[in-house]
Amino acid sequence: MEVKKQLLGLPSYKPGKPIDEVKKELGLTKVVKLASNENPFGASPKAAEAIRQMAAQTAVYPDGYAAELREKVANKIGVEPNQLVFGNGSDEVIQFLCRSLLSPGTNTVTADPSFSQYKLNATIEGAEVREVPCIDGVHDLDSMLKEIDANTKIVWVCNPNNPSGTYVNEQKFKQFLEQVPSNVLVVSDEAYYEYVTAEDYPETLPLLKEYDNLMVLRTFSKAYGLAALRVGYGVANSELISKIDPVRPPFNNNTFAHVAASAALDDDLFISECVSKNTDGLKQFEEFCDKHGLTYYPSQTNFILIDFKQSGDVVFDYLLRKGFIVRSGEALGYPTCIRITVGSQDENKELFEHLESMLQAAFQ
């Protein structure tokens, strides 16, 4: 059986190791996962209660239009309901865009390193992928502009960027938008939007009124703590949404995702508490790095990328055997780095103890 030639040799997405697998493999009783940028504080209790109330409704298909959630999100962020498209995670919306806009003979522009799903989905559609190296972990927007030509369909701006945690500020993003041709879609992927504390981070939703070629992506998988339910969304002008919606599977979000996300939107206090704890956690990491002379990328997310000046796989394996799952930078474009999700205060402290032991052993 033959498949598309562009699929041959294409790697599958490799998520962080699951906790149960690590326990079984290494004989550990306690494992802390700090690899996939999940919220260590879980989700709002309101989300769990909403799921419990719907637990007996499994025989009925979900609302394919996501009417209740659509209305909630629209009111929350100040857009019209027809400006939204919902995906099984925001990465499914990325798939929608690539399927709708890309084909052989077209190209897409992205930063490098950045979120892997831009390149993967573009490659599957047979499009050329033009990768522009980041500068100190930040998108080089000027160089990305130079890569745009008559065949360019999408430009991706992961903001804040994964895996570096860095961001493009408002001035640079607006200047970039002004220069991108109006027939090229600019996607601002804001999966970590809720965690951002930088005052000059761009507020992109108001820009949708000025730029028909802008789409904003957000998700409930990070700060809202609903990663297991897979629900994210794209926001753009209603005409673009109507054009890409036919590629969306009819029931791509389940009922539990709808009601949990809808309930989670009502709990602003939970989100603000999580953001505050995350900010404190990032300070813990920064202080640890400064104490030990480690270079790190300033983060506006719930993770931090740290350079240990040695193979990321080696550091990953060391921490794994201590019961901490992190992400090696070897597969992320930063071979001497480790990407670590900010955990609870106690989890961070315990992790630092193991890292200190590793660093001390390296200098003996």
Side-chain angles (χ1 to χ4, degrees):
M1 189 69 67
E2 292 186 5
V3 299
K4 291 180 178 179
K5 63 180 181 180
Q6 57 264 35
L7 293 180
L8 300 177
L10 198 63
S12 299
Y13 180 75
K14 295 180 180 179
K17 281 200 168 197
I19 291 175
D20 289 341
E21 179 183 325
V22 173
K23 285 182 178 179
K24 183 178 180 180
E25 179 183 333
L26 299 178
L28 299 170
T29 57
K30 177 188 174 184
V31 172
V32 178
K33 185 183 178 189
L34 300 176
S36 300
N37 309 333
E38 296 140 334
N39 187 339
F41 309 107
S44 166
K46 294 183 178 181
E49 179 57 30
I51 293 173
R52 278 192 290 269
Q53 292 180 10
M54 294 298 294
Q57 303 296 321
T58 57
V60 180
Y61 280 112
D63 173 13
Y65 187 64
E68 180 183 351
L69 179 59
R70 181 180 297 273
E71 193 71 28
K72 271 289 193 65
V73 171
N75 289 335
K76 185 78 171 180
I77 66 176
V79 300
E80 295 299 320
N82 62 2
Q83 290 183 258
L84 296 166
V85 61
F86 289 90
N88 198 302
S90 58
D91 47 355
E92 190 183 34
V93 183
I94 294 169
Q95 185 182 63
F96 297 164
L97 294 173
C98 290
R99 175 173 280 189
S100 301
L101 277 70
L102 300 178
S103 59
T106 67
N107 69 71
T108 184
V109 179
T110 181
D112 180 42
S114 194
F115 188 43
S116 62
Q117 296 304 291
Y118 313 142
K119 181 178 182 178
L120 175 70
N121 284 288
T123 301
I124 291 171
E125 300 303 326
E128 177 192 356
V129 181
R130 298 181 175 179
E131 297 178 282
V132 177
C134 290
I135 299 177
D136 296 327
V138 182
H139 288 49
D140 181 359
L141 296 182
D142 290 337
S143 294
M144 290 174 71
L145 277 170
K146 293 176 182 177
E147 292 295 325
I148 297 173
D149 63 18
N151 296 317
T152 304
K153 299 298 181 181
I154 309 175
V155 180
W156 308 92
V157 181
C158 189
N159 202 24
N161 189 35
N162 180 9
S164 61
T166 56
Y167 74 105
V168 172
N169 67 34
E170 183 173 36
Q171 180 184 4
K172 291 182 178 179
F173 185 75
K174 285 185 175 180
Q175 290 176 344
F176 179 71
L177 266 182
E178 290 172 0
Q179 298 176 76
V180 174
S182 60
N183 64 328
V184 176
L185 180 66
V186 176
V187 180
S188 181
D189 188 348
E190 302 174 3
Y192 301 91
Y193 171 81
E194 289 80 10
Y195 287 114
V196 174
T197 59
E199 294 183 358
D200 60 347
Y201 179 81
E203 286 295 341
T204 50
L205 293 178
L207 298 175
L208 293 172
K209 296 178 180 179
E210 300 178 49
Y211 298 94
D212 288 340
N213 63 327
L214 173 64
M215 173 173 272
V216 177
L217 302 184
R218 292 187 182 170
T219 184
F220 286 91
S221 294
K222 303 305 180 184
Y224 283 97
L226 299 177
L229 297 177
R230 311 303 299 120
V231 55
Y233 60 92
V235 197
N237 72 82
S238 58
E239 182 179 355
L240 174 60
I241 295 296
S242 67
K243 287 181 178 178
I244 68 170
D245 196 58
V247 307
R248 179 181 58 81
F251 303 110
N252 62 318
N253 287 131
N254 67 65
T255 298
F256 301 130
H258 287 169
V259 298
S262 183
L265 285 172
D266 292 332
D267 200 344
D268 291 334
L269 179 60
F270 174 81
I271 294 298
S272 63
E273 289 176 346
C274 289
V275 172
S276 178
K277 291 175 183 176
N278 182 73
T279 301
D280 291 342
L282 278 172
K283 289 179 181 178
Q284 282 183 281
F285 274 94
E286 291 168 357
E287 289 171 359
F288 175 84
C289 290
D290 292 340
K291 176 183 176 181
H292 295 281
L294 296 172
T295 302
Y296 61 90
Y297 290 83
S299 178
Q300 289 292 320
T301 66
N302 68 333
F303 63 82
I304 187 167
L305 188 68
I306 303 173
D307 192 349
F308 285 90
K309 306 299 182 184
Q310 59 178 302
S311 167
D313 286 350
V314 171
V315 181
F316 165 83
D317 187 66
Y318 176 87
L319 291 175
L320 189 67
R321 297 179 184 282
K322 300 298 182 181
F324 280 84
I325 309 173
V326 296
R327 197 69 184 268
S328 170
E330 293 272 9
L332 302 175
Y334 294 95
T336 61
C337 293
I338 289 291
R339 193 191 69 187
I340 308 174
T341 304
V342 177
S344 67
Q345 190 174 66
D346 290 341
E347 289 170 343
N348 296 339
K349 286 181 178 178
E350 185 178 349
L351 174 73
F352 296 154
E353 291 174 2
H354 294 306
L355 286 174
E356 282 187 337
S357 296
M358 182 193 75
L359 292 170
Q360 289 172 1
F363 289 106
Q364 289 180 353

